[in-house]
């Protein structure tokens, strides 16, 4: 393990999980091109080495000795703080975030480390903004959630459409093409836990937002009415519709 004073450019926390493996794969692909020094972090040294070996073999990478391995357990705050201190940017793939996210955000603030995660949990994200935005701004740090699937059809998709649309874009309706594989429709446990927690904390989220009393952004043009989870067929594939997205 590298000394804390010598920082990696990127550390992927939870790199042995379902989504974490995808992030590790992308780090293998892009790190050499960008000259990025990176490490994988998690509870089990054995599992982390196994993931690195598997992905390196799939990508025909013979030597991955430059990839660091950091043991960090979410139940061990000292190990979390050490991990955060060893990174310039931490990508947190360990969820559910309402259970395990706060201590990692705090560790990044203490370690002067930028923080990204793939959370889609509104209450967690908004609580982090309220609790840590001012301190992160003072330190010049980025603390950002929803940097995975949640942002692709929403933020990035809308921005791309806005740039290409010949006029004023007032609303966007997006669709998700869901296709069932050989195992049927499956969802991994942390995502399922996040969904269940989201529904169970709906009242808490509404109360939290009312207490913040934020000014709503102005609406432009006609407001689209959300459709049901089943939106019909587009190009022969079943596409559940996502909520309409306004330009604000």
């Amino acid at each position: 393990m590298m000394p804390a004073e010598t920082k990696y450019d990127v550390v992927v926390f939870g790199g042995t999980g379902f989504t974490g493996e995808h992030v590790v794969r992308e780090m293998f692909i892009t790190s050499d091109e960008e000259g990025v020094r990176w490490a994988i972090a998690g509870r089990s040294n054995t599992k982390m080495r196994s993931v690195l070996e598997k992905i390196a073999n799939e990508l025909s990478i013979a030597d991955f000795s430059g990839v660091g391995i950091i043991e960090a357990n979410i139940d061990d705050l000292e190990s979390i703080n050490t991990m955060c201190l060893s990174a310039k940017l931490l990508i947190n793939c360990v969820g559910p975030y309402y259970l395990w996210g706060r201590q990692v955000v705090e560790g990044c603030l203490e370690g002067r480390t930028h923080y990204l995660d793939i959370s889609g949990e509104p209450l967690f994200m908004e609580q982090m903004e309220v609790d840590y935005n001012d301190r992160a701004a003072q330190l010049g740090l980025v603390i950002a959630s929803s940097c995975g699937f949640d942002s692709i059809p929403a933020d990035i998709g809308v921005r791309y459409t806005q740039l290409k649309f010949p006029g004023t874009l007032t609303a966007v309706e997006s669709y998700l093409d869901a296709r069932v594989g050989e195992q049927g429709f499956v969802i991994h446990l942390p995502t399922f836990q996040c969904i269940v927690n989201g529904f169970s904390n709906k009242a808490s989220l509404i109360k939290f937002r009312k207490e913040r009393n934020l000014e709503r952004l102005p609406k432009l043009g006609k407001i689209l009415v959300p459709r049901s989870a089943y939106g019909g067929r587009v190009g022969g594939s079943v596409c559940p519709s996502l909520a309409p997205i306004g330009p604000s």
Side-chain angles (χ1 to χ4, degrees):
M1 178 173 159
M2 183 172 292
E5 61 269 15
T6 307
K7 289 196 172 190
Y8 293 101
D9 295 310
V10 179
V11 170
V12 181
F13 182 40
T16 60
F18 177 80
T19 304
E21 283 198 23
H22 288 286
V23 178
V24 168
R25 177 182 297 275
E26 290 303 313
M27 291 303 303
F28 265 120
I29 294 171
T30 61
S31 60
D32 284 344
E33 298 175 6
E34 303 295 333
V36 173
R37 297 172 59 257
W38 65 285
I40 183 174
R43 291 178 296 179
S44 170
N45 190 296
T46 301
K47 287 184 178 180
M48 288 187 284
R49 290 188 182 278
S50 176
V51 165
L52 292 177
E53 289 175 1
K54 180 184 74 171
I55 296 176
N57 288 334
E58 292 173 355
L59 297 175
S60 300
I61 297 175
D63 181 17
F64 56 92
S65 58
V67 179
I69 296 178
I70 300 172
E71 290 190 37
N73 192 322
I74 201 68
D75 295 321
D76 181 354
L77 290 181
E78 184 177 354
S79 71
I80 294 298
N81 291 336
T82 300
M83 171 189 68
C84 294
L85 192 63
S86 69
K88 295 178 182 177
L89 166 66
L90 182 86
I91 302 176
N92 183 13
C93 300
V94 178
Y97 293 91
Y98 74 95
L99 291 176
W100 315 121
R102 180 177 292 271
Q103 49 266 59
V104 182
V105 173
E106 291 177 346
C108 284
L109 289 168
E110 290 297 323
R112 306 299 192 267
T113 299
H114 298 294
Y115 170 95
L116 302 179
D117 69 36
I118 53 172
S119 171
E121 303 168 45
L123 185 56
F124 165 77
M125 294 187 288
E126 293 180 32
Q127 285 176 333
M128 295 303 98
E129 179 188 358
V130 169
D131 293 346
Y132 301 117
N133 179 72
D134 290 346
R135 186 178 175 195
Q138 291 171 359
L139 296 172
L141 297 176
V142 172
I143 306 292
S145 290
S146 274
C147 295
F149 172 78
D150 300 77
S151 295
I152 296 172
D155 295 347
I156 297 175
V158 169
R159 181 56 177 161
Y160 177 83
T161 306
Q162 188 179 42
L163 292 173
K164 297 295 183 180
F165 188 75
T168 302
L169 186 69
T170 60
V172 174
E173 189 172 36
S174 59
Y175 292 85
L176 171 65
D177 186 353
R179 304 188 183 190
V180 179
E182 294 180 356
Q183 294 179 321
F185 185 81
V186 297
I187 186 171
H188 63 299
L189 181 59
T191 298
F192 178 74
Q193 290 174 319
C194 292
I195 293 172
V196 172
N197 179 69
F199 281 111
S200 65
N201 280 336
K202 183 177 180 180
S204 298
L205 177 61
I206 293 173
K207 179 182 177 182
F208 183 76
R209 286 175 172 174
K210 285 184 177 179
E211 290 173 349
R212 295 187 69 186
N213 194 29
L214 297 175
E215 181 180 352
R216 289 182 175 272
L217 294 173
K219 300 293 184 181
L220 299 176
K222 181 180 178 181
I223 299 177
L224 298 181
V225 178
R227 292 199 255 178
S228 64
Y230 178 76
R233 292 179 178 271
V234 177
S237 301
V238 177
C239 297
S241 61
L242 303 178
I245 303 167
S248 58

